[in-house]
Amino acid sequence: MIIARLIADPETLGDNLALAMEMIEARDWEVAGAGMLDFCDDVLELEVLHGDPAGIRAILDQCFPESDLLLSAGLIEVPNLFVSDMDSTMIGQECIDELADFAGLKDRIAAITERAMQGELDFESALRERVGLLKDLPEAAIQQCLDERIQPMAGARTLVSTLKSRGCQTVLVTGGFHSFADPVAELLGFDRVVGNRLGLHEGVLTGGLVGGIVDSSVKKQVLLDEAARIGDGALSLATGDGANDIPMIEAASYGIAYRAKPKARAAADGWIDRGDLTSILSLLGIARKDWVLD
């Protein structure tokens, strides 16, 4: 059985649901149930028997544009582990692009960032190229950037706090830098941070990195290692927006793409295109009265 939960425009929900059910049944799949969740009354749940997940996903994507959606091959439950990307997922900015602005290089570096996120460039080489362009930037620019530019994504603190209140372990894993991720994680309440380290010497950036690179394979391994530590049967949730997040998203029990690039969205079990990060709580079936608010 495939379970689909989605949040869509209430004004067109009825007509779009009728069309989706017609398209599903035309494939000789059976809609065993359809209705709004009692405890999350803005969430529509569909139960489809004998359906193909990719086919159901395509139908729902077509019938419910600008929706928030999660598909599962079984019951949807609150996860034991939450692993998330940082830039453009938990915060609204790309830190390296904002930091580059202090060096007068934002447009140049942002263009490289965008191509890397789209999956058009090798992540490590793109990261090293961008960091190299920041050579000799004063370390003080990092704190100024944090103070002036970096803001949590709407709903981020509520998402993390609510999941933690349910016993969920939380990890912020980023291809960005500890200089940004550590304060962001503290602000949002993450239990652990995994990221890259900028090279610094005598108060300026060296243009290099210290230690290993956190790339897509590391992100996936962090999720797998944390899930194994929790134990057999651990349910995991991963969120991200770019190509570097795809292996992590695919490895999670629930992989959700947040306002993501096309390749990341296509790899996910669901997406948030309509609401903010609290939509994930609704899709998991956590009622608003049980949210831990900012």
Side-chain angles (χ1 to χ4, degrees):
M1 178 173 65
I2 306 299
I3 293 179
R5 288 180 179 172
L6 62 92
I7 306 170
D9 183 351
E11 293 186 1
T12 59
L13 182 62
D15 290 342
N16 290 344
L17 174 59
L19 176 60
M21 292 177 66
E22 180 180 331
M23 293 174 69
I24 289 170
E25 290 170 352
R27 304 278 292 268
D28 292 327
W29 302 332
E30 179 183 350
V31 178
M36 310 305 290
L37 294 183
D38 291 339
F39 39 89
C40 295
D41 59 9
D42 60 342
V43 179
L44 171 66
E45 182 173 276
L46 286 174
E47 298 178 5
V48 182
L49 301 180
H50 315 302
D52 169 62
I56 294 169
R57 172 198 169 102
I59 289 170
L60 295 179
D61 198 10
Q62 177 181 339
C63 293
F64 296 95
E66 291 298 313
S67 65
D68 302 333
L69 178 140
L70 177 59
L71 279 171
S72 174
L75 295 176
I76 296 175
E77 302 178 78
V78 176
N80 309 103
L81 171 66
F82 173 45
V83 180
S84 181
D85 174 48
M86 180 177 71
D87 292 7
S88 299
T89 304
M90 286 292 118
I91 60 174
Q93 299 76 36
E94 291 289 325
C95 290
I96 194 168
D97 295 355
E98 298 304 323
L99 188 60
D101 202 19
F102 290 87
L105 296 169
K106 184 173 182 178
D107 289 347
R108 182 176 176 185
I109 287 181
I112 301 171
T113 300
E114 177 65 17
R115 291 188 65 197
M117 290 177 65
Q118 294 281 6
E120 298 174 2
L121 297 175
D122 171 72
F123 176 80
E124 181 174 346
S125 60
L127 178 63
R128 291 191 184 278
E129 180 182 358
R130 286 173 290 166
V131 171
L133 292 170
L134 298 178
K135 187 176 186 294
D136 297 328
L137 186 69
E139 181 181 6
I142 295 173
Q143 188 59 52
Q144 185 178 356
C145 186
L146 276 164
D147 293 342
E148 297 179 2
R149 306 287 182 88
I150 307 305
Q151 294 293 326
M153 198 69 79
R157 280 184 287 227
T158 295
L159 173 61
V160 176
S161 297
T162 303
L163 290 175
K164 288 181 68 174
S165 75
R166 298 298 189 95
C168 184
Q169 295 296 307
T170 58
V171 183
L172 186 66
V173 57
T174 177
F177 314 112
H178 273 280
S179 303
F180 292 94
D182 289 349
V184 167
E186 183 177 1
L187 176 65
L188 299 181
F190 279 91
D191 298 312
R192 181 188 174 198
V193 183
V194 179
N196 296 304
R197 295 191 183 276
L198 289 165
L200 295 164
H201 181 68
E202 295 184 351
V204 298
L205 273 64
T206 65
L209 295 163
V210 178
I213 298 292
V214 177
D215 59 10
S216 61
S217 65
V218 172
K219 288 187 170 189
K220 175 183 176 179
Q221 196 60 50
V222 167
L223 183 140
L224 295 176
D225 289 347
E226 289 288 335
R229 186 181 60 80
I230 292 169
D232 291 343
L235 292 174
S236 57
L237 165 68
T239 58
D241 70 302
N244 195 41
D245 301 312
I246 290 174
M248 174 179 74
I249 286 172
E250 290 178 332
S253 306
Y254 311 127
I256 296 182
Y258 183 77
R259 301 188 180 271
K261 304 303 180 185
K263 288 183 180 179
R265 190 180 185 276
D269 301 306
W271 52 78
I272 306 297
D273 289 343
R274 186 171 184 269
D276 63 27
L277 285 167
T278 60
S279 291
I280 295 173
L281 297 175
S282 294
L283 293 173
L284 292 172
I286 302 175
R288 276 188 172 82
K289 66 180 181 63
D290 296 323
W291 293 2
V292 180
L293 300 177
D294 296 351

